[in-house]
Amino acid sequence: MLSLTKKIMSVRVRFAPSPTGALHIGGLRTALYNYLFAKKNTGQFVLRIEDTDQNRKVDQAEAYIEDALKWSGLEPDESPTKPGRFGPYRQSERKHIYQKHIESLIEKGKAYYAFDTPEELSKIRADYERQKETFKYGAENRMNLKNALNLPRETTEKLLNEIPYVIRLKVDVGKSIKVKDGVRGYIEIQSDEIDDKILMKADGMPTYHFANVVDDHLMEITHVIRGEEWLPSLALHQLIYDAFEWDAPEFMHLPLILKPQGKGKLSKRDGEKLGFPVFPLAWEESEGFKERGFLPEALMNYLALLGWNPGTDKEIFEMNRLVEVFDTERIQKGGAKFDFEKAKWINHKFLGFTDQKTIFERFPEFMDCLPDSWPQKKRSAVYSLLRDRLFLLEELKSQSEVFLEDPVEYDSKVLNKIQKNDPKKIVAQFCKMVKEEIAVKDWKSKIQEWNENEKLPFGAIMQSLRLAIVGNLSGPDIFDVCEILGNQVTLRRLEKFYNHQN
């Protein structure tokens, strides 16, 4: 089999979601690992839509998946909207392919028709439960059930035209199934533990297991990288490969993304409860990472570290660097707890080094809080001043309010604290400097000269100025704020505070 770490020109991986809803970040991480592995090995990253369960299919889910991958920078080399020579890329459009291959298994004696109705099987299960046993359709009882293995050929042909039927895999007993997982090593299961799984449903659609194997083989997938929830199906998939006498791809099952608090897999409910997104883009009433102001490359950086590490202390990686350092040998076995604060910190780092012009061009929806009436120089100055305080682009709106609205009230605790230092006198001196058109860059030295006689704590002076301009003690450098506000607005706010002290 192909190595998971050796560079191979023919590497082909696939991301194969079902269009049953929004793409969860667990699925997005799976897509990311597939993408990184493909690009690391100059291979192909394929998007396949597994929509055999038409009852669970959700309108717009497929479009959402493609949009999410595009936003994330994980555009497939082949997909339903970018077909290659291995299409169709929707399983619902491949029924004729599955039919051809299921007939092949029946001819080989590896699969068989089963005519048991759901009601009949329910009754049998109930009988087993009364005896405190578990019913398993397989070698122990299939000769006593209604299927082609114990019915005359004429009867089978007659039933095929009269009643619904399924097609089951014929699992031989006494066989040891040994499969290598790239994360956990070799896994060995006895065939006696596996029942005769349904490969083709009564509606003529294949089950996930059958379609999955057929598609991976025909699309020449070399490595299957998927979530660990599919690990229990690994032996079954190997049996299907064996039934066809096909070589199986290499498998790798990724650890779960766990909820931040408590045990278990991260869910939408966890996000709703704790106030963070679990989808890359908005879906129905849920905001996505995009709408909260994440740079997609920052989110990819964070997701890469959920279950993998580079072997160093370095934590910030742009996509091209991620491709270079990604090594499947460093994927961990245990689940990784989701940490929204860590994700925000990584986004903060990306905001810090991403060119300002790029931010304005790529994320105009977050720049709308800076009025178009402002000259671009002022808009740029405000963003530059606030950038180091931003962890999410959505925070720009609240952070920029200091430049849009005069304070309507002043922090009473701070006001009471500085009253003994006569903040009114301090503010009056700043008003004087503004009226004399003294440059803001000179205010500090000028106020220090004035204070040589006053002997006031310099902290009280700065607190008085900040309180007058923004109403509290938080925010960026107050001299920079005044510089951007300009003399007219600065003087208005100083005088308003001065009058407030009467």
Side-chain angles (χ1 to χ4, degrees):
M1 291 194 295
L2 299 173
S3 169
L4 284 167
T5 53
K6 183 180 177 182
K7 284 195 174 184
I8 303 162
M9 294 300 291
S10 59
V11 160
R12 286 177 59 82
V13 298
R14 50 62 166 184
F15 177 54
S18 298
T20 55
L23 178 62
H24 187 276
I25 58 168
L28 187 61
R29 186 197 60 175
T30 298
L32 172 64
Y33 282 16
N34 275 277
Y35 177 89
L36 293 175
F37 184 71
K39 299 311 170 186
K40 177 73 175 282
N41 293 285
T42 60
Q44 301 293 302
F45 171 57
V46 178
L47 172 65
R48 185 174 73 223
I49 301 298
E50 301 200 335
D51 58 348
T52 56
D53 191 343
Q54 293 289 297
N55 292 327
R56 297 181 62 226
K57 184 176 179 180
V58 174
D59 291 341
Q60 303 304 314
E62 181 181 325
Y64 177 95
I65 291 167
E66 292 223 27
D67 289 344
L69 292 179
K70 182 176 181 180
W71 176 80
S72 302
L74 308 179
E75 292 197 58
D77 298 295
E78 301 166 28
S79 71
T81 55
K82 189 180 179 181
R85 64 187 180 92
F86 295 95
Y89 293 85
R90 294 185 187 92
Q91 288 186 334
S92 59
E93 298 172 2
R94 298 172 63 85
K95 287 179 65 174
H96 62 290
I97 297 173
Y98 306 130
Q99 187 61 41
K100 172 185 173 183
H101 283 81
I102 198 68
E103 289 171 0
S104 169
L105 285 190
I106 291 172
E107 289 173 5
K108 292 179 178 181
K110 301 295 184 179
Y112 60 91
Y113 300 107
F115 303 99
D116 319 88
T117 67
E119 292 76 19
E120 289 170 340
L121 291 178
S122 293
K123 183 177 182 302
I124 294 172
R125 287 192 186 92
D127 291 340
Y128 269 72
E129 288 175 4
R130 277 192 288 273
Q131 299 175 44
K132 300 189 182 306
E133 296 180 2
T134 301
F135 172 70
K136 182 172 66 177
Y137 202 122
E140 288 186 1
N141 53 28
R142 61 190 172 209
M143 298 307 293
N144 299 319
L145 298 169
K146 191 190 299 183
N147 58 65
L149 296 179
N150 65 358
L151 294 174
R153 182 174 180 178
E154 298 77 11
T155 304
T156 295
E157 291 177 351
K158 183 174 184 293
L159 291 176
L160 287 174
N161 296 315
E162 293 181 352
I163 64 173
Y165 60 87
V166 300
I167 300 175
R168 292 180 178 272
L169 178 69
K170 186 173 181 287
V171 179
D172 296 329
V173 297
K175 183 177 180 181
S176 179
I177 308 158
K178 191 174 184 180
V179 191
K180 183 180 180 181
D181 175 68
V183 175
R184 293 162 179 80
Y186 282 97
I187 296 170
E188 188 170 1
I189 297 177
Q190 301 304 309
S191 63
D192 304 53
E193 301 176 25
I194 302 173
D195 55 350
D196 289 359
K197 294 290 186 183
I198 294 174
L199 302 181
M200 195 71 76
K201 295 177 284 189
D203 62 2
M205 292 295 283
T207 60
Y208 165 83
H209 305 291
F210 182 66
N212 177 275
V213 168
V214 171
D215 289 344
D216 283 346
H217 175 74
L218 296 182
M219 292 183 177
E220 298 182 7
I221 300 303
T222 60
H223 299 76
V224 172
I225 304 172
R226 60 191 179 188
E228 71 172 26
E229 62 268 24
W230 295 112
L231 195 58
S233 302
L234 182 57
L236 170 63
H237 293 174
Q238 184 63 53
L239 283 177
I240 299 174
Y241 279 105
D242 292 344
F244 279 114
E245 299 180 334
W246 292 340
D247 290 333
E250 292 199 34
F251 295 99
M252 178 165 40
H253 292 83
L254 307 177
L256 295 175
I257 297 180
L258 305 175
K259 56 181 63 184
Q261 302 173 3
K263 298 180 180 180
K265 183 178 177 180
L266 178 69
S267 69
K268 177 184 174 183
R269 184 174 298 177
D270 296 312
E272 292 172 345
K273 179 181 177 182
L274 299 174
F276 58 79
V278 295
F279 304 133
L281 312 179
W283 177 258
E284 297 177 341
E285 301 301 317
S286 300
E287 282 188 316
F289 283 86
K290 176 185 177 182
E291 289 72 30
R292 294 294 302 274
F294 270 84
L295 276 60
E297 51 268 38
L299 179 59
M300 294 304 99
N301 185 160
Y302 176 64
L303 290 182
L305 299 175
L306 275 181
W308 168 86
N309 72 82
T312 67
D313 293 333
K314 185 175 173 61
E315 294 184 291
I316 304 301
F317 299 93
E318 294 183 84
M319 183 64 81
N320 58 351
R321 184 59 180 153
L322 269 179
V323 170
E324 291 176 6
V325 302
F326 186 69
D327 182 353
T328 56
E329 293 291 330
R330 303 201 66 85
I331 293 176
Q332 66 191 43
K333 296 179 183 179
K337 280 188 175 292
F338 180 78
D339 184 343
F340 188 53
E341 293 305 312
K342 182 63 173 289
K344 285 167 56 178
W345 177 81
I346 290 177
N347 197 58
H348 171 70
K349 292 296 183 182
F350 272 80
L351 287 172
F353 64 70
T354 302
D355 179 69
Q356 181 187 113
K357 182 180 179 183
T358 300
I359 296 293
F360 273 79
E361 290 176 350
R362 289 180 59 196
F363 307 99
E365 66 272 27
F366 293 103
M367 302 300 119
D368 287 347
C369 62
L370 307 179
D372 290 335
S373 58
W374 286 1
Q376 186 57 40
K377 183 178 180 180
K378 180 175 181 179
R379 299 177 89 231
S380 297
V382 169
Y383 178 77
S384 295
L385 182 61
L386 298 177
R387 179 173 58 186
D388 290 343
R389 302 175 60 82
L390 301 177
F391 286 80
L392 302 172
L393 280 174
E394 70 172 7
E395 296 167 354
L396 182 60
K397 182 176 182 179
S398 60
Q399 292 282 350
S400 62
E401 286 178 357
V402 63
F403 299 99
L404 299 168
E405 301 288 341
D406 293 354
V408 295
E409 58 184 26
Y410 306 98
D411 189 316
S412 58
K413 290 183 178 179
V414 179
L415 200 55
N416 291 335
K417 181 180 177 182
I418 64 174
Q419 279 298 335
K420 62 183 179 181
N421 295 306
D422 199 351
K424 188 171 183 177
K425 181 199 295 186
I426 295 170
V427 168
Q429 186 60 28
F430 279 109
C431 287
K432 183 174 181 292
M433 288 193 291
V434 174
K435 291 174 181 178
E436 292 175 356
E437 297 187 354
I438 295 174
V440 175
K441 64 181 180 64
D442 297 324
W443 283 13
K444 186 174 182 179
S445 60
K446 291 293 183 182
I447 204 70
Q448 286 175 331
E449 289 176 11
W450 170 78
N451 195 41
E452 287 178 1
N453 292 325
E454 301 298 330
K455 307 298 183 184
L456 296 171
F458 193 72
I461 293 175
M462 296 308 297
Q463 288 174 353
S464 298
L465 175 61
R466 181 175 289 278
L467 208 59
I469 300 300
V470 303
N472 55 61
L473 297 187
S474 64
D477 184 270
I478 193 61
F479 292 129
D480 288 336
V481 172
C482 292
E483 182 76 43
I484 294 173
L485 288 174
N487 282 1
Q488 182 179 349
V489 175
T490 299
L491 181 60
R492 183 178 72 220
R493 295 188 182 186
L494 289 168
E495 290 179 338
K496 180 180 177 182
F497 180 82
Y498 181 89
N499 294 328
H500 181 271
Q501 301 309 298
N502 290 334

